[in-house]
Amino acid sequence: MSMRSVEEQVRQLAAQMAAGEASQEAKSDESERKYECEMCEDSGWIPVLETGEEISWRDPRLIGGVEGVRRCKCMVEKQIQRMFGSSHITENFQRIGFKGFVVDGRPKCVREARDTALDYYQRFDEIRKTRHNSIALLGPPGSGKTHLLMAVANGLIRKGVMVQYFPWVEGFNDLKDNLDDLDDRINAMKTVEVLFIDDLYKGRRAPTDFQLEQLFGVVNYRYLNSLPMMVSSEKDVDALFAIDEGIARRIYEMAKGHRVVMGLTAEEQAAGMELNYSLLD
């Protein structure tokens, strides 16, 4: 609904109320109606007085006219929920955030990864259009990579940025099971605002030609069009380049400034420290 059409409705409603044209039956039906949002009455818009005060559609001051309308908070929340529904992020993962990520007593690389992910999230609007607009966290299983990038993804979605989550194993299994719409799914991965590839190259076997071909198409498109990616992998930098140099080089360049390879120092190993981290802590 356009701003003009909403304001026109406000004027029409005010005129009707002033002239007493609304029938008693219509008023009765309206009073019995239940709304999900009582403030905007599910219209998504709230009348605003010249003073900036938001009022309801039933407020008598509506008769005198309003300065304009404003989007209701419920409309923003509904948009966020639609984005989460399209993100492929499960309901449990949607509650993951930075506050739940504990760094006290953890290895140095864990704090570095947390600080890097937080910096990426905070500076996203600043860097999203640049060549170096992505983030890559590499390290062993259980080191907190997915938790941190999921916290970034959830935060971006709540700010109105569309993120698509693509877990490597489950994602490609799904693609192979739905080859009829493969092109549409790959195109969505290419063009979504932010693509989150989790556990890149996860599995007991080397990636297949099909996986590498599809992945290169996605990564290359995003590289050429400066579209951000978030990548986690158990592979280190050398292993990524050994599997496919073209893919690795593009990810490596795009994540410049936000790359972390997680591992223990010799001192931390001697002290018996571990990287194991519960995703939902």
Side-chain angles (χ1 to χ4, degrees):
M1 184 182 297
S2 68
M3 184 72 74
R4 176 177 295 179
S5 63
V6 173
E7 291 178 342
E8 181 63 28
Q9 287 186 14
V10 172
R11 288 193 292 271
Q12 290 177 357
L13 179 58
Q16 285 183 347
M17 293 176 66
E21 295 177 359
S23 68
Q24 204 58 37
E25 181 181 356
K27 290 180 180 178
S28 176
D29 290 343
E30 189 68 17
S31 65
E32 295 176 359
R33 181 174 176 181
K34 300 297 182 182
Y35 297 101
E36 291 183 18
C37 179
E38 293 295 331
M39 190 63 182
C40 74
E41 297 187 357
D42 297 343
S43 69
W45 300 94
I46 297 177
V48 181
L49 298 177
E50 292 183 1
T51 60
E53 179 186 355
E54 296 179 351
I55 62 174
S56 74
W57 290 93
R58 300 171 185 273
D59 194 304
R61 288 174 292 178
L62 197 67
I63 298 176
V66 296
E67 178 68 17
V69 290
R70 187 175 298 157
R71 289 187 71 185
C72 184
K73 292 180 180 178
C74 75
M75 192 174 182
V76 177
E77 184 59 31
K78 287 178 181 178
Q79 180 183 6
I80 291 174
Q81 291 308 314
R82 286 195 296 270
M83 292 173 71
F84 269 119
S86 301
S87 70
H88 305 301
I89 298 175
T90 64
E91 186 173 344
N92 281 340
F93 278 16
Q94 290 175 21
R95 61 186 175 91
I96 293 175
F98 286 106
K99 289 184 179 179
F101 194 86
V102 179
V103 296
D104 292 342
R106 305 296 297 160
K108 178 182 177 182
C109 66
V110 173
R111 183 181 297 275
E112 182 184 359
R114 191 281 307 270
D115 292 347
T116 298
L118 187 57
D119 180 75
Y120 179 79
Y121 169 69
Q122 293 173 337
R123 295 181 54 210
F124 180 79
D125 290 338
E126 171 191 340
I127 66 175
R128 67 179 300 178
K129 299 295 185 181
T130 69
R131 169 61 69 191
H132 309 303
N133 58 10
S134 301
I135 181 171
L137 301 183
L138 313 178
S143 53
K145 305 181 303 296
T146 296
H147 185 130
L148 289 170
L149 293 186
M150 193 64 70
V152 175
N154 290 335
L156 290 179
I157 289 175
R158 292 189 176 95
K159 286 170 51 174
V161 179
M162 187 63 227
V163 180
Q164 181 177 337
Y165 178 55
F166 185 81
W168 178 261
V169 175
E170 297 86 346
F172 267 108
N173 285 340
D174 189 45
L175 288 178
K176 288 189 294 184
D177 291 341
N178 297 275
L179 292 176
D180 289 343
D181 59 354
L182 176 64
D183 290 343
D184 290 340
R185 288 169 177 259
I186 292 297
N187 187 62
M189 293 173 66
K190 289 179 177 179
T191 58
V192 67
E193 286 186 272
V194 179
L195 177 64
F196 175 10
I197 303 176
D198 194 20
D199 277 329
L200 176 65
Y201 300 144
K202 176 81 172 181
R204 290 173 291 180
R205 297 179 298 177
T208 65
D209 291 341
F210 171 79
Q211 290 174 324
L212 291 177
E213 179 182 354
Q214 301 303 325
L215 178 63
F216 180 82
V218 169
V219 171
N220 190 54
Y221 182 93
R222 301 189 69 84
Y223 174 80
L224 294 175
N225 291 277
S226 297
L227 295 173
M229 290 186 293
M230 304 193 301
V231 179
S232 78
S233 180
E234 297 172 10
K235 310 294 185 183
D236 61 19
V237 175
D238 290 341
L240 293 180
F241 273 81
I243 292 172
D244 190 291
E245 182 175 352
I247 294 172
R249 189 172 299 280
R250 285 160 174 78
I251 293 174
Y252 193 76
E253 179 182 345
M254 293 178 71
K256 182 179 180 181
H258 293 95
R259 299 187 298 241
V260 178
V261 180
M262 303 177 74
L264 299 177
T265 65
E267 292 79 8
E268 290 170 340
Q269 293 181 42
M273 298 189 76
E274 297 181 351
L275 274 173
N276 294 335
Y277 196 99
S278 173
L279 182 64
L280 296 178
D281 275 354

PDB file of all heavy atoms in Angstrom, residues 119-134 156 159 161 228 258:
ATOM      1  N   ASP A 119      32.950  -7.731  14.527  1.00  0.00           N
ATOM      2  CA  ASP A 119      33.366  -6.581  13.712  1.00  0.00           C
ATOM      3  C   ASP A 119      32.706  -6.634  12.336  1.00  0.00           C
ATOM      4  O   ASP A 119      32.263  -5.606  11.811  1.00  0.00           O
ATOM      5  CB  ASP A 119      34.893  -6.580  13.560  1.00  0.00           C
ATOM      6  CG  ASP A 119      35.393  -5.401  12.731  1.00  0.00           C
ATOM      7  OD1 ASP A 119      35.412  -4.272  13.256  1.00  0.00           O
ATOM      8  OD2 ASP A 119      35.748  -5.610  11.546  1.00  0.00           O
ATOM      9  N   TYR A 120      32.620  -7.823  11.768  1.00  0.00           N
ATOM     10  CA  TYR A 120      31.980  -7.978  10.454  1.00  0.00           C
ATOM     11  C   TYR A 120      30.512  -7.565  10.528  1.00  0.00           C
ATOM     12  O   TYR A 120      30.018  -6.823   9.665  1.00  0.00           O
ATOM     13  CB  TYR A 120      32.091  -9.425   9.992  1.00  0.00           C
ATOM     14  CG  TYR A 120      31.438  -9.688   8.653  1.00  0.00           C
ATOM     15  CD1 TYR A 120      32.073  -9.335   7.463  1.00  0.00           C
ATOM     16  CD2 TYR A 120      30.175 -10.282   8.581  1.00  0.00           C
ATOM     17  CE1 TYR A 120      31.469  -9.564   6.232  1.00  0.00           C
ATOM     18  CE2 TYR A 120      29.571 -10.510   7.357  1.00  0.00           C
ATOM     19  CZ  TYR A 120      30.216 -10.155   6.186  1.00  0.00           C
ATOM     20  OH  TYR A 120      29.607 -10.378   4.977  1.00  0.00           O
ATOM     21  N   TYR A 121      29.827  -8.016  11.555  1.00  0.00           N
ATOM     22  CA  TYR A 121      28.411  -7.669  11.717  1.00  0.00           C
ATOM     23  C   TYR A 121      28.227  -6.164  11.897  1.00  0.00           C
ATOM     24  O   TYR A 121      27.364  -5.545  11.263  1.00  0.00           O
ATOM     25  CB  TYR A 121      27.829  -8.419  12.911  1.00  0.00           C
ATOM     26  CG  TYR A 121      26.470  -7.932  13.328  1.00  0.00           C
ATOM     27  CD1 TYR A 121      25.360  -8.144  12.507  1.00  0.00           C
ATOM     28  CD2 TYR A 121      26.288  -7.231  14.523  1.00  0.00           C
ATOM     29  CE1 TYR A 121      24.109  -7.681  12.880  1.00  0.00           C
ATOM     30  CE2 TYR A 121      25.045  -6.770  14.893  1.00  0.00           C
ATOM     31  CZ  TYR A 121      23.950  -7.000  14.070  1.00  0.00           C
ATOM     32  OH  TYR A 121      22.711  -6.531  14.433  1.00  0.00           O
ATOM     33  N   GLN A 122      29.043  -5.570  12.744  1.00  0.00           N
ATOM     34  CA  GLN A 122      28.903  -4.146  13.034  1.00  0.00           C
ATOM     35  C   GLN A 122      29.262  -3.267  11.843  1.00  0.00           C
ATOM     36  O   GLN A 122      28.704  -2.176  11.681  1.00  0.00           O
ATOM     37  CB  GLN A 122      29.762  -3.782  14.248  1.00  0.00           C
ATOM     38  CG  GLN A 122      29.284  -4.418  15.547  1.00  0.00           C
ATOM     39  CD  GLN A 122      30.236  -4.188  16.704  1.00  0.00           C
ATOM     40  OE1 GLN A 122      31.429  -3.933  16.504  1.00  0.00           O
ATOM     41  NE2 GLN A 122      29.735  -4.285  17.929  1.00  0.00           N
ATOM     42  N   ARG A 123      30.175  -3.732  10.999  1.00  0.00           N
ATOM     43  CA  ARG A 123      30.627  -2.925   9.866  1.00  0.00           C
ATOM     44  C   ARG A 123      29.983  -3.355   8.544  1.00  0.00           C
ATOM     45  O   ARG A 123      30.373  -2.868   7.483  1.00  0.00           O
ATOM     46  CB  ARG A 123      32.146  -3.023   9.732  1.00  0.00           C
ATOM     47  CG  ARG A 123      32.927  -2.432  10.908  1.00  0.00           C
ATOM     48  CD  ARG A 123      34.430  -2.556  10.664  1.00  0.00           C
ATOM     49  NE  ARG A 123      34.796  -1.958   9.390  1.00  0.00           N
ATOM     50  CZ  ARG A 123      35.815  -2.371   8.628  1.00  0.00           C
ATOM     51  NH1 ARG A 123      36.554  -3.391   9.018  1.00  0.00           N
ATOM     52  NH2 ARG A 123      36.090  -1.768   7.489  1.00  0.00           N
ATOM     53  N   PHE A 124      28.998  -4.227   8.611  1.00  0.00           N
ATOM     54  CA  PHE A 124      28.448  -4.806   7.382  1.00  0.00           C
ATOM     55  C   PHE A 124      27.959  -3.734   6.411  1.00  0.00           C
ATOM     56  O   PHE A 124      28.257  -3.788   5.216  1.00  0.00           O
ATOM     57  CB  PHE A 124      27.318  -5.778   7.708  1.00  0.00           C
ATOM     58  CG  PHE A 124      26.720  -6.413   6.480  1.00  0.00           C
ATOM     59  CD1 PHE A 124      27.361  -7.464   5.854  1.00  0.00           C
ATOM     60  CD2 PHE A 124      25.529  -5.937   5.944  1.00  0.00           C
ATOM     61  CE1 PHE A 124      26.831  -8.040   4.703  1.00  0.00           C
ATOM     62  CE2 PHE A 124      24.988  -6.503   4.794  1.00  0.00           C
ATOM     63  CZ  PHE A 124      25.647  -7.558   4.174  1.00  0.00           C
ATOM     64  N   ASP A 125      27.186  -2.779   6.893  1.00  0.00           N
ATOM     65  CA  ASP A 125      26.653  -1.738   6.002  1.00  0.00           C
ATOM     66  C   ASP A 125      27.773  -0.957   5.331  1.00  0.00           C
ATOM     67  O   ASP A 125      27.633  -0.508   4.191  1.00  0.00           O
ATOM     68  CB  ASP A 125      25.751  -0.787   6.785  1.00  0.00           C
ATOM     69  CG  ASP A 125      24.448  -1.445   7.206  1.00  0.00           C
ATOM     70  OD1 ASP A 125      24.053  -2.442   6.580  1.00  0.00           O
ATOM     71  OD2 ASP A 125      23.835  -0.973   8.184  1.00  0.00           O
ATOM     72  N   GLU A 126      28.875  -0.803   6.026  1.00  0.00           N
ATOM     73  CA  GLU A 126      30.014  -0.042   5.508  1.00  0.00           C
ATOM     74  C   GLU A 126      30.757  -0.802   4.404  1.00  0.00           C
ATOM     75  O   GLU A 126      31.217  -0.195   3.429  1.00  0.00           O
ATOM     76  CB  GLU A 126      30.972   0.259   6.665  1.00  0.00           C
ATOM     77  CG  GLU A 126      32.307   0.855   6.270  1.00  0.00           C
ATOM     78  CD  GLU A 126      33.283   0.877   7.440  1.00  0.00           C
ATOM     79  OE1 GLU A 126      32.838   0.790   8.596  1.00  0.00           O
ATOM     80  OE2 GLU A 126      34.504   0.982   7.177  1.00  0.00           O
ATOM     81  N   ILE A 127      30.872  -2.126   4.544  1.00  0.00           N
ATOM     82  CA  ILE A 127      31.712  -2.904   3.629  1.00  0.00           C
ATOM     83  C   ILE A 127      30.941  -3.729   2.608  1.00  0.00           C
ATOM     84  O   ILE A 127      31.548  -4.296   1.699  1.00  0.00           O
ATOM     85  CB  ILE A 127      32.649  -3.850   4.410  1.00  0.00           C
ATOM     86  CG1 ILE A 127      31.829  -4.922   5.134  1.00  0.00           C
ATOM     87  CG2 ILE A 127      33.514  -3.066   5.382  1.00  0.00           C
ATOM     88  CD1 ILE A 127      32.677  -5.980   5.831  1.00  0.00           C
ATOM     89  N   ARG A 128      29.635  -3.794   2.704  1.00  0.00           N
ATOM     90  CA  ARG A 128      28.872  -4.739   1.893  1.00  0.00           C
ATOM     91  C   ARG A 128      29.023  -4.510   0.384  1.00  0.00           C
ATOM     92  O   ARG A 128      28.865  -5.449  -0.397  1.00  0.00           O
ATOM     93  CB  ARG A 128      27.389  -4.726   2.281  1.00  0.00           C
ATOM     94  CG  ARG A 128      26.650  -3.445   1.974  1.00  0.00           C
ATOM     95  CD  ARG A 128      25.179  -3.535   2.383  1.00  0.00           C
ATOM     96  NE  ARG A 128      24.496  -4.605   1.668  1.00  0.00           N
ATOM     97  CZ  ARG A 128      23.213  -4.931   1.872  1.00  0.00           C
ATOM     98  NH1 ARG A 128      22.505  -4.285   2.784  1.00  0.00           N
ATOM     99  NH2 ARG A 128      22.662  -5.883   1.172  1.00  0.00           N
ATOM    100  N   LYS A 129      29.311  -3.304  -0.033  1.00  0.00           N
ATOM    101  CA  LYS A 129      29.443  -3.006  -1.461  1.00  0.00           C
ATOM    102  C   LYS A 129      30.893  -3.046  -1.935  1.00  0.00           C
ATOM    103  O   LYS A 129      31.166  -2.809  -3.113  1.00  0.00           O
ATOM    104  CB  LYS A 129      28.854  -1.624  -1.763  1.00  0.00           C
ATOM    105  CG  LYS A 129      27.370  -1.485  -1.455  1.00  0.00           C
ATOM    106  CD  LYS A 129      26.515  -2.368  -2.335  1.00  0.00           C
ATOM    107  CE  LYS A 129      25.026  -2.096  -2.080  1.00  0.00           C
ATOM    108  NZ  LYS A 129      24.157  -2.974  -2.920  1.00  0.00           N
ATOM    109  N   THR A 130      31.816  -3.365  -1.043  1.00  0.00           N
ATOM    110  CA  THR A 130      33.232  -3.359  -1.400  1.00  0.00           C
ATOM    111  C   THR A 130      33.669  -4.741  -1.883  1.00  0.00           C
ATOM    112  O   THR A 130      32.926  -5.719  -1.809  1.00  0.00           O
ATOM    113  CB  THR A 130      34.101  -2.954  -0.194  1.00  0.00           C
ATOM    114  OG1 THR A 130      34.065  -4.005   0.790  1.00  0.00           O
ATOM    115  CG2 THR A 130      33.584  -1.669   0.431  1.00  0.00           C
ATOM    116  N   ARG A 131      34.893  -4.826  -2.377  1.00  0.00           N
ATOM    117  CA  ARG A 131      35.457  -6.105  -2.817  1.00  0.00           C
ATOM    118  C   ARG A 131      35.660  -7.059  -1.644  1.00  0.00           C
ATOM    119  O   ARG A 131      35.479  -8.265  -1.776  1.00  0.00           O
ATOM    120  CB  ARG A 131      36.791  -5.856  -3.537  1.00  0.00           C
ATOM    121  CG  ARG A 131      37.623  -7.085  -3.822  1.00  0.00           C
ATOM    122  CD  ARG A 131      36.901  -8.072  -4.725  1.00  0.00           C
ATOM    123  NE  ARG A 131      36.748  -7.557  -6.077  1.00  0.00           N
ATOM    124  CZ  ARG A 131      35.968  -8.132  -6.995  1.00  0.00           C
ATOM    125  NH1 ARG A 131      35.266  -9.199  -6.702  1.00  0.00           N
ATOM    126  NH2 ARG A 131      35.876  -7.607  -8.205  1.00  0.00           N
ATOM    127  N   HIS A 132      36.003  -6.519  -0.471  1.00  0.00           N
ATOM    128  CA  HIS A 132      36.289  -7.359   0.700  1.00  0.00           C
ATOM    129  C   HIS A 132      35.106  -7.304   1.664  1.00  0.00           C
ATOM    130  O   HIS A 132      35.183  -6.715   2.745  1.00  0.00           O
ATOM    131  CB  HIS A 132      37.573  -6.876   1.379  1.00  0.00           C
ATOM    132  CG  HIS A 132      38.728  -6.731   0.444  1.00  0.00           C
ATOM    133  ND1 HIS A 132      39.199  -7.774  -0.335  1.00  0.00           N
ATOM    134  CD2 HIS A 132      39.494  -5.646   0.142  1.00  0.00           C
ATOM    135  CE1 HIS A 132      40.215  -7.346  -1.065  1.00  0.00           C
ATOM    136  NE2 HIS A 132      40.409  -6.063  -0.805  1.00  0.00           N
ATOM    137  N   ASN A 133      33.992  -7.926   1.256  1.00  0.00           N
ATOM    138  CA  ASN A 133      32.744  -7.822   2.025  1.00  0.00           C
ATOM    139  C   ASN A 133      32.295  -9.142   2.641  1.00  0.00           C
ATOM    140  O   ASN A 133      31.147  -9.277   3.067  1.00  0.00           O
ATOM    141  CB  ASN A 133      31.625  -7.286   1.119  1.00  0.00           C
ATOM    142  CG  ASN A 133      31.401  -8.171  -0.103  1.00  0.00           C
ATOM    143  OD1 ASN A 133      31.941  -9.263  -0.194  1.00  0.00           O
ATOM    144  ND2 ASN A 133      30.612  -7.682  -1.048  1.00  0.00           N
ATOM    145  N   SER A 134      33.194 -10.126   2.713  1.00  0.00           N
ATOM    146  CA  SER A 134      32.812 -11.456   3.177  1.00  0.00           C
ATOM    147  C   SER A 134      33.601 -11.850   4.417  1.00  0.00           C
ATOM    148  O   SER A 134      34.488 -11.117   4.864  1.00  0.00           O
ATOM    149  CB  SER A 134      33.025 -12.479   2.055  1.00  0.00           C
ATOM    150  OG  SER A 134      32.247 -12.137   0.911  1.00  0.00           O
ATOM    151  N   LEU A 156      21.806  -9.929  10.991  1.00  0.00           N
ATOM    152  CA  LEU A 156      21.581  -9.254   9.710  1.00  0.00           C
ATOM    153  C   LEU A 156      20.115  -9.358   9.290  1.00  0.00           C
ATOM    154  O   LEU A 156      19.530  -8.377   8.795  1.00  0.00           O
ATOM    155  CB  LEU A 156      22.480  -9.862   8.629  1.00  0.00           C
ATOM    156  CG  LEU A 156      23.977  -9.567   8.757  1.00  0.00           C
ATOM    157  CD1 LEU A 156      24.749 -10.250   7.642  1.00  0.00           C
ATOM    158  CD2 LEU A 156      24.257  -8.061   8.747  1.00  0.00           C
ATOM    159  N   LYS A 159      18.001  -6.960  10.908  1.00  0.00           N
ATOM    160  CA  LYS A 159      18.228  -5.607  10.381  1.00  0.00           C
ATOM    161  C   LYS A 159      17.643  -5.454   8.981  1.00  0.00           C
ATOM    162  O   LYS A 159      17.778  -4.406   8.364  1.00  0.00           O
ATOM    163  CB  LYS A 159      19.728  -5.301  10.335  1.00  0.00           C
ATOM    164  CG  LYS A 159      20.330  -5.029  11.701  1.00  0.00           C
ATOM    165  CD  LYS A 159      21.843  -4.962  11.679  1.00  0.00           C
ATOM    166  CE  LYS A 159      22.408  -4.053  10.643  1.00  0.00           C
ATOM    167  NZ  LYS A 159      23.884  -3.901  10.737  1.00  0.00           N
ATOM    168  N   VAL A 161      18.321  -7.584   6.286  1.00  0.00           N
ATOM    169  CA  VAL A 161      19.192  -8.111   5.233  1.00  0.00           C
ATOM    170  C   VAL A 161      18.862  -9.588   5.015  1.00  0.00           C
ATOM    171  O   VAL A 161      18.882 -10.377   5.949  1.00  0.00           O
ATOM    172  CB  VAL A 161      20.687  -7.962   5.612  1.00  0.00           C
ATOM    173  CG1 VAL A 161      21.569  -8.548   4.510  1.00  0.00           C
ATOM    174  CG2 VAL A 161      21.031  -6.504   5.862  1.00  0.00           C
ATOM    175  N   PRO A 228      28.132 -10.399  -0.772  1.00  0.00           N
ATOM    176  CA  PRO A 228      28.802 -10.976   0.397  1.00  0.00           C
ATOM    177  C   PRO A 228      28.520 -12.459   0.598  1.00  0.00           C
ATOM    178  O   PRO A 228      27.430 -12.960   0.303  1.00  0.00           O
ATOM    179  CB  PRO A 228      28.237 -10.161   1.569  1.00  0.00           C
ATOM    180  CG  PRO A 228      27.689  -8.912   0.950  1.00  0.00           C
ATOM    181  CD  PRO A 228      27.221  -9.310  -0.409  1.00  0.00           C
ATOM    182  N   HIS A 258      38.589 -10.252   7.258  1.00  0.00           N
ATOM    183  CA  HIS A 258      37.709 -11.025   8.134  1.00  0.00           C
ATOM    184  C   HIS A 258      37.923 -12.521   7.897  1.00  0.00           C
ATOM    185  O   HIS A 258      36.986 -13.267   7.606  1.00  0.00           O
ATOM    186  CB  HIS A 258      36.246 -10.636   7.913  1.00  0.00           C
ATOM    187  CG  HIS A 258      35.925  -9.243   8.350  1.00  0.00           C
ATOM    188  ND1 HIS A 258      35.938  -8.168   7.483  1.00  0.00           N
ATOM    189  CD2 HIS A 258      35.617  -8.736   9.584  1.00  0.00           C
ATOM    190  CE1 HIS A 258      35.626  -7.063   8.158  1.00  0.00           C
ATOM    191  NE2 HIS A 258      35.432  -7.381   9.422  1.00  0.00           N
TER     192      HIS A 258
END
